[in-house]
Amino acid sequence: IHSYTYRLLGNQEDADDVTQEVFVRACTSWGGLYERENLSAWLYRIATNLCVDMLRRRKRISWRSLTSHSGQDDRFESASDDGSYLLPDSGGIPEVAEREHIRQALANMPAEYAVSLVLSAAQGIPYQEIATILSISPNAAATRISRANRMFVEQYQRISQQGVEKQEHTL
């Protein structure tokens, strides 16, 4: 849950707070939980709702550029995070620029698509369980994941191309 919230929010402190709130809510609602075999989906649903709420609040409250020279909005606000939102923790250290491009691409996507993509690509959750987490049909989940993948690729390529053009202009 913490890794998921961190990838969505891009901020360690916010991920800590949301993770804690997920488990506080789970503990207070435990007695009324009837589907204990779907505990994982239930926890992810709580986390997703809390993250989306926080992202919406950020959008209303704070517009901050991702880098000092970028004009993009920052729905994934971060002061000192390393930007490891989508890349799995493989033990290696991916290029910082690549992590920043991933972060920017996710930030430029609508929240419901970013959530679907992180659940699928970063968390490895099957689309049937994503459907349960997001309270949508399995077909809608598969469609949303497919669209999210296309959106991500388009955003990532655009951001990468902008980076190349900036480098060419500075040379």
Side-chain angles (χ1 to χ4, degrees):
I1 295 295
H2 187 269
S3 142
Y4 171 63
T5 59
Y6 178 71
R7 283 186 166 103
L8 284 176
L9 299 172
N11 179 289
Q12 185 69 42
E13 292 79 22
D14 289 344
D16 292 346
D17 291 345
V18 168
T19 301
Q20 182 176 355
E21 182 63 22
V22 166
F23 288 101
V24 165
R25 289 185 183 194
C27 286
T28 58
S29 301
W30 186 255
L33 181 62
Y34 297 107
E35 297 183 38
R36 291 206 168 110
E37 66 274 1
N38 289 329
L39 181 61
S40 175
W42 182 59
L43 292 173
Y44 273 107
R45 187 176 314 129
I46 294 169
T48 298
N49 291 337
L50 290 170
C51 286
V52 168
D53 287 347
M54 184 172 281
L55 291 171
R56 285 182 183 144
R57 269 194 314 274
R58 279 185 189 171
K59 190 175 179 181
R60 284 193 306 262
I61 295 170
S62 173
W63 290 84
R64 194 177 128 247
S65 65
L66 289 169
T67 62
S68 60
H69 55 279
S70 171
Q72 303 293 326
D73 72 305
D74 184 10
R75 285 178 251 172
F76 297 93
E77 186 174 330
S78 173
S80 62
D81 296 327
D82 67 356
S84 57
Y85 305 106
L86 192 58
L87 296 175
D89 295 327
S90 61
I93 302 174
E95 294 292 324
V96 173
E98 182 179 359
R99 287 183 180 270
E100 183 63 19
H101 291 171
I102 291 169
R103 187 175 94 120
Q104 289 178 15
L106 285 172
N108 290 332
M109 294 172 58
E112 64 270 14
Y113 290 99
V115 165
S116 300
L117 185 62
V118 170
L119 284 169
S120 175
Q123 298 302 115
I125 296 174
Y127 76 93
Q128 297 90 341
E129 191 173 344
I130 292 172
T132 303
I133 292 166
L134 301 178
S135 299
I136 58 177
S137 72
N139 286 341
T143 300
R144 191 176 289 180
I145 292 165
S146 176
R147 287 180 182 163
N149 283 326
R150 282 194 305 272
M151 280 183 205
F152 179 82
V153 167
E154 289 170 8
Q155 290 294 327
Y156 186 87
Q157 288 174 342
R158 183 183 57 75
I159 290 164
S160 295
Q161 182 60 37
Q162 287 173 349
V164 168
E165 289 171 1
K166 280 183 186 178
Q167 286 179 346
E168 288 173 355
H169 284 99
T170 59
L171 295 178

